[in-house]
Amino acid sequence: MDSSRFRPFSSADAVACRRVGKTWAEGTVRAHEALRDIDLDIAPGEFVVLLGPSGCGKSTLLYLVAGLEAQTDGLIASFGDPVEKPSPDRSLIFQETSLFPWLTVWQNVSFGLSIRGAPEAERRAVATEALARVGLSAAIDKRPDELSGGMRQRVAVARALAMRPKVLLMDEPFAALDVQTRAKMQDFLLDVWRDSGASVLFVTHHIDEAVALADRVVVFTARPGRIKSILPIGLPRPRDPFSPEAEALRRQLTAELKAEVDRAFAEQEALATA
Amino acid sequence: MASDLAGAVSGAAARPAAAAAAPTRFPPPWRAALARLGWTAASIGLFVGIWELCWATGLSDPKLLPPPHIFLANIPDQARFFNTATRWQIGINPADGPSPYEAVFITIGATSMRVFVGLAIAAVLSVSIGVLIRYFQLLERLTLPTITLLSPISPIAWLPIAIFIFGIGNAPAIFMVVVALFFHMTLSTISQIDAVNRNYINVARTMGATKRQIYARVIIPAILPQLLLVLRLNMFGAWMVVLVAETTGVGFGLGQVLSMARNTFNPSLVFFCIALIGVLGFLTDLILRMVQNRILFWVPQTAGVLRGL
Ligand SMILES: Nc1ncnc2c1ncn2[C@@H]1O[C@H](COP(=O)(O)OP(=O)(O)OP(=O)(O)O)[C@@H](O)[C@H]1O
Ligand SMILES: [Mg+2]
């Protein structure tokens, strides 16, 4: 890929997207443009939240950055190298649980190490440490189906952390949790993020969550997903969700998102009547 | 004998009631097992009862549909007809061979062995070939069309081939089981590989797993539950095919006894064989179910949820 066509990027950027586009099933009658012209830089250690209407291509962007799918347009680089295939440096935590039901919790967490052929003692040590970080030391020998939804997502986080990734990609990891559990998980994620020093690209539907977590919030348009606006959240941590500044940011994000959701619905309506 | 059986049935049926009356006597898992046994006995008892009633009221002709107390009445007499291969050999006095009871067990053993060996060969062969077909695209292009083409052919059509190639003995019967299961199980392995949750594969990919590791550590464990289920369902097919193979002169076995019973118009012997086959089929399924629970400890049991509906 000739990268000179694109706006230059630094090898210090954890993720650099240049005019990234993705059309699913390109060249067929089912072709479907999910993303267009995404330009985004993520600094090392930065927490970026993607916010957008359902179906706008947020998960698609994470798949592209993870290297699980190839973009049909543009360039994605991580620390200066083009992203061409998945790498343990970029861990993806999926929207639905993806723990292997046939492995115990610790075997799930250390799956990546077993792929590299690490000896059992080392694997168990790494899993023990990662599970301690997510507060699940007691569940180490359990099976995934014995855990609650929140615990499973924490195991998924531990599994991602065990790979010591430089970029953590998270696709609505807490969407299925109740409000209280989600608040706990957010605190815990911020702790883990600070300790690990990884960059995070986090997808959510929840404006509260975006304001609670992000250094920057990227708002997407309805499909095809483009970047509508990028909003820095300058609030000091730990954040007070009831501060007037947080309130103002939420109001602003709500307005931006509502316009897009309205547009998405109108488009779908038009498609249905056509 | 008939009264023995009736006693056994009613005794077994009475047990869950006794267990329920004295709940402290047995731990709960035992009680559940006893209850299950009781219900099995009650179900069989009900069926047998209706049959006997039809006989008692003269509704069914005992010469055509002998009820259990007739066809189970004289087991030694029935067992006479169970010829084993050694008894059939020329130059051996039929009276020298195994006793009638031994002959029944030798026959059952021979038939079961054919079923199990056939099942094992078919399972190993079709799972390996199914996985290899998805793994190597060249192999898929070369073999999948032929496999798909051959799969709808009835196993009965293979019977002459089995006899041409293997002659008489165990080999053609085992070959028949393998042929009857192989195509279906291969195709079902392939479709299960395609149905594996993409997330599982993507997790392994993000962790740097190679294609081989993804197959060995993700795809095979993920398809194992369905494969065992397919094996269990096909077990009945295996029993069917073995009987047909034995009927057509494979040598000896339950199928051969059954065919002789038909030719000599002996309904009692037919029903005796059917009862044996039923018990054997049930036991095989039980064994496979135990294997399944043992290997697939992670698969959630949904039967309890359904029962609550
Ligand atoms: N594997 C695929 N093949 C074809 N089209 C796809 C595929 N995955 C997603 N799409 C389409 O791409 C568009 C974007 O999907 P995506 O999953 O990225 O949305 P999203 O923003 O994550 O939505 P949600 O918030 O509901 O999870 C959708 O219209 C979807 O139908
Ligand atoms: Mg999504």
Side-chain angles (χ1 to χ4, degrees):
Chain A
M1 171 92 41
D2 174 23
S3 57
S4 61
R5 292 192 288 126
F6 302 106
R7 190 161 59 78
F9 52 85
S10 143
S11 64
D13 282 334
V15 176
C17 299
R18 291 291 176 272
R19 313 205 55 180
V20 170
K22 173 72 179 176
T23 304
W24 290 104
E26 192 177 39
T28 71
V29 285
R30 297 168 50 81
H32 177 99
E33 188 179 15
L35 289 174
R36 186 190 292 173
D37 275 346
I38 304 294
D39 255 54
L40 184 65
D41 291 318
I42 300 174
E46 192 181 18
F47 202 123
V48 174
V49 169
L50 298 184
L51 202 59
S54 183
C56 71
K58 305 181 296 291
S59 300
T60 304
L61 183 59
L62 290 196
Y63 272 65
L64 298 183
V65 174
L68 291 169
E69 292 281 345
Q71 68 271 27
T72 45
D73 223 339
L75 178 95
I76 300 176
S78 180
F79 295 101
D81 299 322
V83 169
E84 275 154 0
K85 59 177 186 352
S87 148
D89 284 344
R90 284 166 275 122
S91 279
L92 176 56
I93 296 174
F94 290 83
Q95 199 162 351
E96 305 95 33
T97 35
S98 51
L99 300 179
F100 301 124
W102 55 86
L103 298 180
T104 62
V105 164
W106 81 266
Q107 287 168 334
N108 261 293
V109 170
S110 61
F111 184 81
L113 293 167
S114 76
I115 289 288
R116 294 178 195 165
E120 169 153 353
E122 181 192 337
R123 281 186 280 139
R124 184 133 182 139
V126 170
T128 309
E129 193 213 317
L131 284 167
R133 273 209 272 171
V134 301
L136 277 180
S137 299
I140 187 161
D141 285 316
K142 285 201 153 71
R143 282 182 285 120
D145 62 325
E146 294 174 295
L147 305 180
S148 72
M151 289 158 95
R152 271 179 237 170
Q153 280 301 21
R154 279 191 278 167
V155 174
V157 172
R159 177 169 68 182
L161 291 175
M163 302 301 290
R164 304 199 175 282
K166 296 187 187 132
V167 180
L168 202 52
L169 306 164
M170 305 182 81
D171 194 356
E172 301 186 42
F174 310 142
L177 306 182
D178 64 279
V179 179
Q180 289 83 11
T181 313
R182 180 170 335 141
K184 279 226 54 101
M185 295 291 289
Q186 288 167 0
D187 290 345
F188 136 79
L189 176 63
L190 288 173
D191 288 344
V192 166
W193 165 63
R194 206 172 301 120
D195 293 349
S196 70
S199 309
V200 177
L201 185 56
F202 187 104
V203 170
T204 183
H205 275 135
H206 290 264
I207 289 165
D208 305 359
E209 192 161 68
V211 172
L213 295 175
D215 290 327
R216 280 191 297 158
V217 178
V218 179
V219 181
F220 271 47
T221 65
R223 56 173 274 222
R226 275 153 297 161
I227 293 180
K228 182 180 159 89
S229 57
I230 299 184
L231 191 71
I233 309 284
L235 304 176
R237 300 173 201 268
R239 288 178 180 166
D240 172 12
F242 301 106
S243 69
E245 294 87 346
E247 185 64 36
L249 284 166
R250 280 201 292 269
R251 208 181 292 275
Q252 189 181 347
L253 285 171
T254 309
E256 297 222 16
L257 204 55
K258 184 169 184 308
E260 279 315 310
V261 173
D262 288 349
R263 206 163 70 77
F265 268 81
E267 248 168 47
Q268 272 161 19
E269 202 93 317
L271 273 178
T273 49
Chain B
M1 180 61 215
S3 62
D4 281 3
L5 188 80
V9 167
S10 66
R15 235 174 279 157
T24 46
R25 273 242 303 280
F26 300 105
W30 279 72
R31 246 168 35 222
L34 281 176
R36 211 161 44 230
L37 201 69
W39 281 112
T40 307
S43 163
I44 296 171
L46 184 71
F47 178 66
V48 167
I50 292 174
W51 195 349
E52 296 281 358
L53 199 70
C54 287
W55 165 80
T57 55
L59 216 59
S60 69
D61 183 349
K63 284 209 190 63
L64 299 176
L65 284 177
H69 86 263
I70 295 181
F71 69 76
L72 293 176
N74 197 348
I75 289 182
D77 192 41
Q78 309 269 40
R80 270 190 308 126
F81 297 106
F82 283 73
N83 285 302
T84 63
T86 44
R87 269 215 270 177
W88 271 28
Q89 267 163 20
I90 298 169
I92 289 181
N93 181 357
D96 286 346
S99 76
Y101 276 115
E102 281 167 6
V104 171
F105 280 106
I106 291 173
T107 308
I108 289 177
T111 302
S112 312
M113 183 276 287
R114 290 166 192 153
V115 170
F116 279 110
V117 173
L119 265 180
I121 295 177
V124 171
L125 206 62
S126 50
V127 172
S128 341
I129 292 194
V131 169
L132 288 176
I133 280 178
R134 267 290 167 266
Y135 196 94
F136 297 108
Q137 208 181 5
L138 180 65
L139 190 70
E140 168 174 346
R141 293 196 173 130
L142 285 178
T143 60
L144 195 56
T146 311
I147 290 177
T148 316
L149 207 69
L150 292 179
S151 67
I153 295 173
S154 159
I156 310 301
W158 290 99
L159 188 61
I161 315 281
I163 294 172
F164 295 160
I165 300 179
F166 295 104
I168 302 277
N170 286 323
I174 293 171
F175 171 82
M176 286 288 289
V177 176
V178 173
V179 158
L181 305 191
F182 170 76
F183 299 104
H184 175 203
M185 283 181 66
T186 305
L187 293 179
S188 126
T189 304
I190 293 171
S191 71
Q192 264 137 43
I193 291 175
D194 296 343
V196 171
N197 186 340
R198 314 291 323 160
N199 278 357
Y200 292 160
I201 296 170
N202 281 335
V203 165
R205 285 177 66 202
T206 57
M207 295 189 171
T210 60
K211 183 174 174 182
R212 225 174 87 200
Q213 285 171 322
I214 289 176
Y215 270 83
R217 287 150 179 261
V218 179
I219 290 180
I220 292 184
I223 65 176
L224 210 55
Q226 283 302 311
L227 286 183
L228 270 178
L229 185 68
V230 169
L231 192 66
R232 255 181 74 195
L233 294 178
N234 276 305
M235 189 224 31
F236 299 105
W239 271 100
M240 195 173 76
V241 172
V242 160
L243 293 181
V244 172
E246 289 172 348
T247 304
T248 354
V250 156
F252 66 107
L254 277 173
Q256 183 266 325
V257 179
L258 205 53
S259 145
M260 183 182 61
R262 188 196 63 197
N263 293 338
T264 56
F265 195 75
N266 187 344
S268 277
L269 187 56
V270 171
F271 282 116
F272 183 60
C273 288
I274 287 178
L276 284 179
I277 294 165
V279 170
L280 287 175
F282 176 81
L283 289 178
T284 328
D285 190 48
L286 192 73
I287 293 170
L288 282 181
R289 232 162 42 213
M290 270 154 50
V291 170
Q292 199 176 2
N293 290 344
R294 184 80 196 212
I295 308 182
L296 304 178
F297 53 85
W298 77 83
V299 177
Q301 307 267 332
T302 40
V305 181
L306 293 175
R307 211 159 286 140
L309 295 179

